[in-house]
Coordinates of all heavy atoms in Angstrom, one line a residue:
M362 N 0.8 -1.2 0.0 CA 0.0 0.0 0.0 C 0.9 1.2 0.0 O 1.9 1.3 0.7 CB -0.9 0.0 1.2 CG -1.8 1.2 1.3 SD -3.0 1.1 2.7 CE -4.2 -0.1 2.1
Q363 N 0.6 2.2 -0.8 CA 1.3 3.4 -0.9 C 0.8 4.4 0.1 O -0.4 4.4 0.5 CB 1.2 4.0 -2.3 CG 1.7 3.1 -3.4 CD 3.2 3.0 -3.3 OE1 3.9 4.0 -3.1 NE2 3.7 1.8 -3.5
P364 N 1.7 5.3 0.6 CA 1.3 6.3 1.5 C 0.2 7.2 1.0 O -0.6 7.8 1.8 CB 2.5 7.1 1.8 CG 3.6 6.3 1.4 CD 3.1 5.4 0.3
T365 N 0.1 7.4 -0.3 CA -0.9 8.3 -0.9 C -2.3 7.5 -1.2 O -3.2 8.1 -1.7 CB -0.4 8.9 -2.2 OG1 0.0 7.8 -3.1 CG2 0.8 9.8 -1.9
D366 N -2.3 6.3 -0.9 CA -3.6 5.5 -1.1 C -4.7 6.2 -0.4 O -4.6 6.4 0.8 CB -3.4 4.1 -0.6 CG -4.5 3.1 -1.1 OD1 -5.7 3.5 -0.9 OD2 -4.2 2.0 -1.6
P367 N -5.8 6.5 -1.0 CA -6.9 7.2 -0.4 C -7.6 6.4 0.7 O -8.2 6.9 1.6 CB -7.9 7.5 -1.5 CG -7.4 6.7 -2.7 CD -6.0 6.3 -2.5
R368 N -7.4 5.0 0.7 CA -8.0 4.2 1.8 C -7.4 4.5 3.1 O -8.0 4.3 4.2 CB -7.8 2.7 1.5 CG -8.6 2.3 0.2 CD -8.3 0.9 -0.1 NE -6.9 0.8 -0.5 CZ -6.3 -0.4 -0.9 NH1 -7.0 -1.5 -0.7 NH2 -5.1 -0.4 -1.2
I369 N -6.2 5.0 3.2 CA -5.5 5.4 4.4 C -6.3 6.4 5.2 O -6.3 6.4 6.5 CB -4.1 5.9 4.2 CG1 -3.2 4.8 3.6 CG2 -3.5 6.5 5.4 CD1 -2.9 3.7 4.6
R370 N -7.0 7.3 4.6 CA -7.8 8.3 5.3 C -8.9 7.7 6.1 O -9.4 8.4 7.0 CB -8.3 9.3 4.3 CG -7.3 10.1 3.6 CD -7.9 11.1 2.6 NE -6.9 11.8 1.8 CZ -6.3 12.9 2.1 NH1 -6.6 13.5 3.3 NH2 -5.4 13.4 1.4
A371 N -9.3 6.5 5.8 CA -10.4 5.9 6.6 C -10.0 5.4 7.9 O -10.8 5.1 8.8 CB -11.0 4.7 5.8
F372 N -8.7 5.3 8.2 CA -8.1 4.8 9.4 C -8.1 5.9 10.5 O -7.4 6.9 10.2 CB -6.8 4.2 9.3 CG -6.8 2.9 8.5 CD1 -6.6 2.9 7.1 CD2 -6.9 1.7 9.2 CE1 -6.6 1.7 6.5 CE2 -6.9 0.5 8.5 CZ -6.8 0.5 7.2
T373 N -8.8 5.7 11.6 CA -8.8 6.7 12.7 C -7.6 6.4 13.6 O -6.9 5.3 13.4 CB -10.0 6.7 13.5 OG1 -10.1 5.4 14.1 CG2 -11.3 6.9 12.6
E374 N -7.3 7.3 14.5 CA -6.2 7.0 15.5 C -6.5 5.7 16.3 O -5.6 5.0 16.5 CB -6.0 8.2 16.4 CG -4.8 8.0 17.3 CD -4.4 9.3 18.0 OE1 -5.0 10.4 17.7 OE2 -3.5 9.2 18.9
D375 N -7.8 5.5 16.6 CA -8.1 4.3 17.3 C -7.8 3.0 16.5 O -7.4 2.0 17.0 CB -9.6 4.3 17.8 CG -9.9 5.2 18.9 OD1 -8.9 5.6 19.6 OD2 -11.0 5.6 19.1
H376 N -8.1 3.1 15.2 CA -7.8 2.0 14.3 C -6.3 1.7 14.3 O -5.9 0.6 14.4 CB -8.2 2.3 12.8 CG -9.7 2.2 12.6 ND1 -10.3 3.3 12.1 CD2 -10.6 1.3 12.8 CE1 -11.6 3.0 11.9 NE2 -11.8 1.8 12.4
I377 N -5.5 2.8 14.2 CA -4.1 2.6 14.1 C -3.6 2.1 15.4 O -2.7 1.2 15.4 CB -3.4 4.0 13.8 CG1 -3.9 4.5 12.4 CG2 -1.9 3.9 13.8 CD1 -3.6 3.6 11.2
L378 N -4.1 2.5 16.6 CA -3.6 2.0 17.8 C -3.9 0.5 18.0 O -3.1 -0.2 18.5 CB -4.3 2.8 19.0 CG -3.8 4.2 19.2 CD1 -4.7 4.9 20.2 CD2 -2.4 4.2 19.6
S379 N -5.0 0.0 17.5 CA -5.3 -1.4 17.5 C -4.4 -2.2 16.6 O -4.0 -3.3 16.9 CB -6.8 -1.7 17.2 OG -7.1 -1.4 15.9
L380 N -4.1 -1.6 15.4 CA -3.1 -2.2 14.5 C -1.7 -2.2 15.1 O -1.0 -3.2 14.9 CB -3.1 -1.5 13.2 CG -4.3 -1.6 12.3 CD1 -4.3 -0.7 11.1 CD2 -4.5 -3.1 11.9
L381 N -1.3 -1.2 15.9 CA 0.0 -1.2 16.6 C 0.0 -2.3 17.6 O 1.0 -3.0 17.8 CB 0.2 0.2 17.2 CG 0.7 1.3 16.3 CD1 0.7 2.6 17.0 CD2 2.0 1.0 15.7
A382 N -1.1 -2.5 18.3 CA -1.1 -3.6 19.3 C -1.0 -5.0 18.6 O -0.2 -5.8 19.1 CB -2.5 -3.6 20.1
E383 N -1.6 -5.1 17.4 CA -1.4 -6.4 16.7 C 0.0 -6.5 16.2 O 0.6 -7.6 16.2 CB -2.4 -6.4 15.5 CG -2.3 -7.7 14.7 CD -3.3 -7.8 13.6 OE1 -4.2 -6.9 13.5 OE2 -3.2 -8.7 12.8
L384 N 0.6 -5.4 15.8 CA 2.0 -5.4 15.3 C 2.9 -5.9 16.5 O 3.8 -6.7 16.3 CB 2.5 -4.0 14.9 CG 3.9 -3.9 14.5 CD1 4.3 -4.7 13.3 CD2 4.3 -2.4 14.3
H385 N 2.7 -5.4 17.7 CA 3.5 -5.8 18.8 C 3.4 -7.3 19.1 O 4.4 -8.0 19.3 CB 3.1 -5.0 20.1 CG 3.6 -3.6 20.0 ND1 2.8 -2.5 20.3 CD2 4.8 -3.0 19.7 CE1 3.5 -1.4 20.2 NE2 4.7 -1.7 19.8
E386 N 2.1 -7.8 19.0 CA 1.9 -9.2 19.3 C 2.5 -10.1 18.2 O 3.2 -11.0 18.5 CB 0.4 -9.4 19.3 CG 0.0 -10.9 19.6 CD -1.5 -11.1 19.5 OE1 -2.3 -10.2 19.9 OE2 -1.9 -12.2 19.1
R387 N 2.2 -9.8 16.9 CA 2.7 -10.6 15.8 C 4.3 -10.5 15.7 O 4.9 -11.4 15.4 CB 2.0 -10.3 14.5 CG 0.6 -10.7 14.5 CD 0.0 -10.5 13.2 NE -1.4 -10.8 13.2 CZ -1.9 -12.1 13.1 NH1 -1.0 -13.1 13.0 NH2 -3.2 -12.3 13.2
G388 N 4.8 -9.3 15.8 CA 6.2 -9.0 15.7 C 7.0 -9.8 16.7 O 8.1 -10.2 16.4
R389 N 6.5 -9.9 17.9 CA 7.2 -10.5 19.0 C 7.6 -12.0 18.7 O 8.7 -12.4 19.0 CB 6.4 -10.5 20.3 CG 7.1 -10.8 21.5 CD 6.3 -10.6 22.8 NE 5.6 -9.3 22.8 CZ 4.3 -9.2 23.0 NH1 3.6 -10.2 23.3 NH2 3.8 -8.0 22.9
R390 N 6.7 -12.6 17.9 CA 7.0 -14.0 17.5 C 8.2 -14.1 16.6 O 8.8 -15.2 16.5 CB 5.8 -14.6 16.8 CG 4.6 -14.8 17.6 CD 3.5 -15.4 16.8 NE 2.2 -14.9 17.3 CZ 1.1 -14.8 16.6 NH1 1.1 -15.2 15.3 NH2 0.0 -14.3 17.1
F391 N 8.5 -13.1 15.9 CA 9.7 -13.1 15.0 C 10.9 -12.3 15.6 O 11.8 -12.0 14.8 CB 9.2 -12.5 13.7 CG 8.2 -13.3 13.0 CD1 6.9 -13.1 13.1 CD2 8.6 -14.4 12.2 CE1 5.9 -13.9 12.5 CE2 7.7 -15.2 11.5 CZ 6.3 -14.9 11.7
G392 N 10.8 -11.9 16.8 CA 11.9 -11.1 17.4 C 11.9 -9.7 17.0 O 12.8 -9.0 17.2
L393 N 10.8 -9.2 16.5 CA 10.6 -7.8 16.1 C 9.9 -7.0 17.2 O 8.8 -7.3 17.5 CB 9.8 -7.6 14.8 CG 10.4 -8.4 13.6 CD1 9.4 -8.3 12.4 CD2 11.7 -7.7 13.2
I394 N 10.7 -6.1 17.8 CA 10.1 -5.3 18.9 C 10.1 -3.9 18.5 O 11.1 -3.3 18.1 CB 10.9 -5.6 20.2 CG1 10.9 -7.1 20.5 CG2 10.4 -4.7 21.3 CD1 11.9 -7.4 21.6
F395 N 8.9 -3.3 18.6 CA 8.8 -1.9 18.3 C 8.3 -1.1 19.6 O 7.1 -0.7 19.6 CB 7.7 -1.7 17.2 CG 8.1 -2.5 15.9 CD1 7.5 -3.7 15.7 CD2 8.9 -1.9 15.0 CE1 7.8 -4.4 14.5 CE2 9.2 -2.6 13.8 CZ 8.7 -3.9 13.6
P396 N 9.2 -0.9 20.6 CA 8.7 -0.4 21.8 C 8.2 1.1 21.7 O 7.3 1.5 22.5 CB 9.9 -0.5 22.7 CG 11.1 -0.5 21.8 CD 10.6 -1.2 20.5
S397 N 8.7 1.8 20.8 CA 8.3 3.2 20.7 C 7.3 3.5 19.6 O 6.9 4.6 19.4 CB 9.5 4.1 20.4 OG 10.1 3.8 19.1
A398 N 6.8 2.4 19.0 CA 5.8 2.6 17.9 C 4.5 3.1 18.6 O 3.9 2.5 19.5 CB 5.5 1.3 17.2
A399 N 4.0 4.2 18.1 CA 2.8 4.9 18.5 C 2.3 5.8 17.5 O 2.9 6.0 16.4 CB 3.1 5.7 19.8
T400 N 1.1 6.3 17.7 CA 0.6 7.3 16.7 C 1.3 8.6 17.0 O 1.7 8.9 18.1 CB -0.9 7.5 16.8 OG1 -1.2 7.9 18.1 CG2 -1.7 6.2 16.4
D401 N 1.5 9.4 15.9 CA 2.2 10.6 16.0 C 1.3 11.8 15.9 O 0.9 12.4 16.9 CB 3.3 10.6 15.0 CG 4.3 11.8 15.2 OD1 4.3 12.4 16.2 OD2 5.1 12.0 14.2
R402 N 0.9 12.1 14.7 CA 0.0 13.2 14.4 C -0.7 12.9 13.1 O -0.5 11.9 12.5 CB 0.8 14.5 14.4 CG 1.9 14.5 13.3 CD 2.8 15.7 13.4 NE 4.0 15.5 12.7 CZ 4.2 16.0 11.5 NH1 3.3 16.8 10.9 NH2 5.4 15.8 10.9
T403 N -1.6 13.8 12.8 CA -2.4 13.6 11.5 C -1.8 14.7 10.6 O -1.7 15.9 10.9 CB -3.9 13.8 11.8 OG1 -4.3 12.8 12.7 CG2 -4.6 13.6 10.5
L404 N -1.5 14.3 9.4 CA -1.0 15.2 8.4 C -1.8 15.0 7.1 O -1.9 13.8 6.6 CB 0.5 14.9 8.1 CG 1.2 15.7 7.0 CD1 1.3 17.2 7.5 CD2 2.6 15.1 6.8
D405 N -2.4 16.0 6.7 CA -3.2 15.9 5.4 C -4.3 14.8 5.5 O -4.5 14.1 4.5 CB -2.3 15.8 4.2 CG -3.0 16.0 2.9 OD1 -4.0 16.8 2.9 OD2 -2.6 15.4 1.9
G406 N -4.9 14.6 6.7 CA -5.9 13.6 6.8 C -5.4 12.2 7.0 O -6.2 11.3 7.1
R407 N -4.1 12.0 7.2 CA -3.5 10.7 7.4 C -2.9 10.7 8.7 O -2.1 11.6 9.1 CB -2.5 10.4 6.3 CG -3.1 10.3 4.9 CD -2.0 10.2 3.9 NE -2.5 10.1 2.5 CZ -2.7 11.1 1.7 NH1 -2.4 12.3 2.1 NH2 -3.2 10.9 0.5
V408 N -3.2 9.6 9.5 CA -2.5 9.4 10.8 C -1.1 8.9 10.6 O -0.9 8.0 9.8 CB -3.3 8.4 11.6 CG1 -2.6 8.2 13.0 CG2 -4.7 8.9 11.9
L409 N -0.1 9.6 11.2 CA 1.3 9.1 11.1 C 1.6 8.2 12.2 O 1.0 8.4 13.3 CB 2.2 10.3 11.1 CG 2.1 11.3 9.9 CD1 3.1 12.4 10.0 CD2 2.3 10.6 8.6
V410 N 2.4 7.3 12.0 CA 2.9 6.3 13.0 C 4.3 6.7 13.4 O 5.1 7.1 12.5 CB 2.8 4.9 12.5 CG1 3.3 3.9 13.5 CG2 1.4 4.6 12.0
C411 N 4.6 6.6 14.6 CA 5.9 7.0 15.1 C 7.0 5.9 14.9 O 7.4 5.2 15.8 CB 5.9 7.4 16.6 SG 7.3 8.3 17.1
F412 N 7.3 5.7 13.6 CA 8.5 4.9 13.2 C 9.3 6.0 12.4 O 9.5 5.9 11.2 CB 8.1 3.9 12.1 CG 7.3 2.7 12.5 CD1 6.2 2.4 11.9 CD2 7.8 1.9 13.5 CE1 5.5 1.3 12.3 CE2 7.1 0.7 13.9 CZ 5.9 0.4 13.3
N413 N 9.7 7.0 13.1 CA 10.4 8.1 12.5 C 9.3 8.8 11.6 O 9.6 9.1 10.4 CB 11.6 7.7 11.7 CG 12.5 8.9 11.4 OD1 12.3 10.0 12.0 ND2 13.5 8.7 10.6
T414 N 8.1 9.0 12.1 CA 7.0 9.6 11.4 C 6.7 9.0 10.1 O 6.5 9.6 9.1 CB 7.1 11.2 11.2 OG1 8.3 11.4 10.4 CG2 7.3 11.9 12.5
A415 N 6.6 7.7 10.1 CA 6.2 6.9 8.9 C 4.7 7.0 8.8 O 4.0 7.2 9.7 CB 6.6 5.4 9.1
P416 N 4.2 6.9 7.5 CA 2.8 6.9 7.3 C 2.2 5.6 7.8 O 2.9 4.6 8.0 CB 2.6 7.1 5.8 CG 3.9 6.6 5.3 CD 5.0 6.8 6.3
A417 N 0.9 5.6 8.0 CA 0.2 4.4 8.4 C 0.3 3.2 7.4 O 0.3 2.0 7.8 CB -1.3 4.6 8.7
S418 N 0.6 3.5 6.2 CA 0.8 2.5 5.2 C 2.0 1.6 5.5 O 2.0 0.4 5.2 CB 0.9 3.1 3.8 OG 2.0 4.0 3.7
T419 N 3.0 2.2 6.1 CA 4.2 1.4 6.6 C 3.7 0.3 7.6 O 4.1 -0.8 7.5 CB 5.3 2.3 7.2 OG1 5.7 3.2 6.2 CG2 6.5 1.5 7.6
L420 N 2.9 0.7 8.5 CA 2.4 -0.2 9.5 C 1.6 -1.3 8.9 O 1.8 -2.5 9.2 CB 1.5 0.6 10.5 CG 0.6 -0.2 11.5 CD1 1.5 -1.0 12.4 CD2 -0.3 0.7 12.2
L421 N 0.7 -1.0 7.9 CA -0.1 -2.0 7.2 C 0.8 -2.9 6.4 O 0.5 -4.1 6.4 CB -1.1 -1.3 6.3 CG -2.2 -0.5 7.1 CD1 -3.0 0.4 6.1 CD2 -3.1 -1.4 7.9
N422 N 1.8 -2.4 5.8 CA 2.7 -3.2 5.0 C 3.5 -4.2 5.9 O 3.7 -5.4 5.5 CB 3.6 -2.4 4.1 CG 2.9 -1.7 3.0 OD1 1.9 -2.1 2.6 ND2 3.4 -0.5 2.6
I423 N 4.0 -3.7 7.0 CA 4.7 -4.6 7.9 C 3.8 -5.7 8.5 O 4.1 -6.9 8.5 CB 5.3 -3.8 9.1 CG1 6.4 -2.9 8.6 CG2 5.8 -4.7 10.2 CD1 7.0 -1.9 9.6
L424 N 2.5 -5.3 8.8 CA 1.6 -6.3 9.3 C 1.3 -7.4 8.2 O 1.1 -8.6 8.5 CB 0.3 -5.7 9.7 CG 0.3 -5.1 11.1 CD1 -1.0 -4.3 11.4 CD2 0.4 -6.2 12.2
T425 N 1.2 -6.9 7.0 CA 0.9 -7.9 5.9 C 2.1 -8.9 5.7 O 1.9 -10.1 5.6 CB 0.8 -7.1 4.5 OG1 -0.4 -6.2 4.6 CG2 0.6 -8.1 3.4
L426 N 3.3 -8.4 5.9 CA 4.5 -9.3 5.8 C 4.4 -10.3 7.0 O 4.7 -11.5 6.8 CB 5.8 -8.5 5.8 CG 6.1 -7.6 4.6 CD1 7.2 -6.7 4.8 CD2 6.3 -8.5 3.4
L427 N 4.1 -9.8 8.2 CA 4.0 -10.7 9.3 C 2.9 -11.7 9.2 O 3.1 -12.9 9.5 CB 3.8 -9.9 10.6 CG 5.1 -9.1 11.0 CD1 4.7 -8.2 12.2 CD2 6.2 -10.0 11.4
L428 N 1.8 -11.3 8.6 CA 0.7 -12.3 8.4 C 1.1 -13.3 7.4 O 0.8 -14.5 7.5 CB -0.6 -11.6 7.9 CG -1.3 -10.7 9.0 CD1 -2.3 -9.8 8.4 CD2 -2.0 -11.7 10.0
D429 N 1.8 -12.9 6.3 CA 2.3 -13.8 5.3 C 3.3 -14.8 5.9 O 3.2 -16.0 5.6 CB 2.9 -13.1 4.1 CG 1.9 -12.4 3.2 OD1 0.7 -12.7 3.4 OD2 2.3 -11.6 2.4
A430 N 4.1 -14.3 6.7 CA 5.1 -15.2 7.4 C 4.4 -16.2 8.3 O 4.8 -17.4 8.4 CB 6.1 -14.3 8.2
D431 N 3.4 -15.8 9.0 CA 2.6 -16.7 9.9 C 2.0 -17.8 9.1 O 2.1 -19.0 9.4 CB 1.5 -15.9 10.6 CG 2.0 -15.4 12.0 OD1 3.1 -15.7 12.4 OD2 1.2 -14.5 12.5
R432 N 1.4 -17.4 7.9 CA 0.8 -18.4 7.1 C 1.9 -19.4 6.5 O 1.6 -20.6 6.4 CB 0.1 -17.8 5.9 CG -1.3 -17.3 6.3 CD -2.0 -16.8 5.1 NE -2.5 -15.5 5.6 CZ -2.3 -14.3 5.0 NH1 -1.8 -14.2 3.8 NH2 -2.7 -13.2 5.5
D433 N 3.0 -18.9 6.2 CA 4.1 -19.8 5.7 C 4.6 -20.7 6.7 O 4.9 -21.9 6.5 CB 5.3 -19.0 5.2 CG 5.0 -18.3 3.8 OD1 4.0 -18.6 3.2 OD2 5.7 -17.3 3.5
R434 N 4.6 -20.3 8.0 CA 5.1 -21.2 9.1 C 4.1 -22.3 9.4 O 4.4 -23.3 9.8 CB 5.2 -20.3 10.4 CG 6.4 -19.4 10.3 CD 6.5 -18.6 11.6 NE 6.7 -19.4 12.7 CZ 6.8 -19.0 14.0 NH1 6.6 -17.7 14.2 NH2 7.0 -19.7 15.0
E435 N 2.8 -22.0 9.1 CA 1.7 -23.0 9.3 C 1.6 -24.1 8.2 O 1.1 -25.1 8.5 CB 0.4 -22.3 9.5 CG 0.3 -21.5 10.7 CD -0.9 -20.6 10.8 OE1 -1.8 -20.7 9.9 OE2 -1.1 -19.9 11.8
R436 N 2.2 -23.8 7.1 CA 2.1 -24.8 6.0 C 3.1 -25.9 6.2 O 4.3 -25.6 6.5 CB 2.4 -24.1 4.6 CG 1.4 -23.2 4.1 CD 1.7 -22.8 2.7 NE 0.9 -21.6 2.4 CZ 1.3 -20.5 1.8 NH1 2.6 -20.5 1.4 NH2 0.6 -19.5 1.6
P437 N 2.7 -27.1 5.9 CA 3.7 -28.2 6.0 C 4.7 -28.1 4.9 O 4.4 -27.7 3.8 CB 2.9 -29.5 6.0 CG 1.6 -29.0 5.3 CD 1.4 -27.6 5.6
C438 N 5.9 -28.5 5.2 CA 7.0 -28.5 4.2 C 6.8 -29.7 3.2 O 6.4 -30.8 3.7 CB 8.4 -28.7 4.8 SG 8.8 -27.2 5.7
D439 N 7.0 -29.5 2.0 CA 6.9 -30.6 1.0 C 8.3 -31.3 1.0 O 9.3 -30.6 0.6 CB 6.5 -30.1 -0.4 CG 5.1 -29.6 -0.4 OD1 4.3 -30.1 0.3 OD2 4.9 -28.7 -1.3
S440 N 8.3 -32.5 1.3 CA 9.6 -33.2 1.3 C 9.7 -34.2 0.2 O 8.8 -34.9 -0.2 CB 9.8 -34.0 2.6 OG 9.8 -33.1 3.7

């Protein structure tokens, strides 16, 4: 998802906070810890996430990667 994607404007600060909680939970399984990740401010109708003021799309893209990794871990290996 691109930072300019219009769907980003639909995410409120509460939505982003719940996604950050999911990021903390899912990331911990992979050794990814984001202790300072939080919402920052709203810029041009988009909530920024405090990954050095990254847009919310960065959060969504990281969560997508973690979900894909979870699915890959659950699949049996073909031997």
Side-chain angles (χ1 to χ4, degrees):
M362 180 176 284
Q363 297 294 318
T365 55
D366 191 311
R368 295 175 293 177
I369 291 293
R370 293 178 188 271
F372 289 91
T373 65
E374 187 168 351
D375 287 339
H376 288 125
I377 299 299
L378 288 171
S379 67
L380 290 170
L381 282 169
E383 184 176 352
L384 174 67
H385 287 133
E386 179 185 328
R387 291 185 182 279
R389 193 172 314 128
R390 293 183 211 154
F391 294 94
L393 300 172
I394 301 171
F395 303 97
S397 63
T400 57
D401 188 14
R402 59 190 164 101
T403 302
L404 179 66
D405 192 30
R407 296 175 179 92
V408 177
L409 295 182
V410 179
C411 196
F412 289 124
N413 198 12
T414 62
S418 59
T419 300
L420 169 64
L421 295 171
N422 290 334
I423 292 171
L424 277 171
T425 299
L426 291 171
L427 290 171
L428 287 167
D429 288 346
D431 272 346
R432 278 185 231 128
D433 287 344
R434 288 177 65 185
E435 293 172 1
R436 286 189 201 137
C438 292
D439 294 332
S440 301

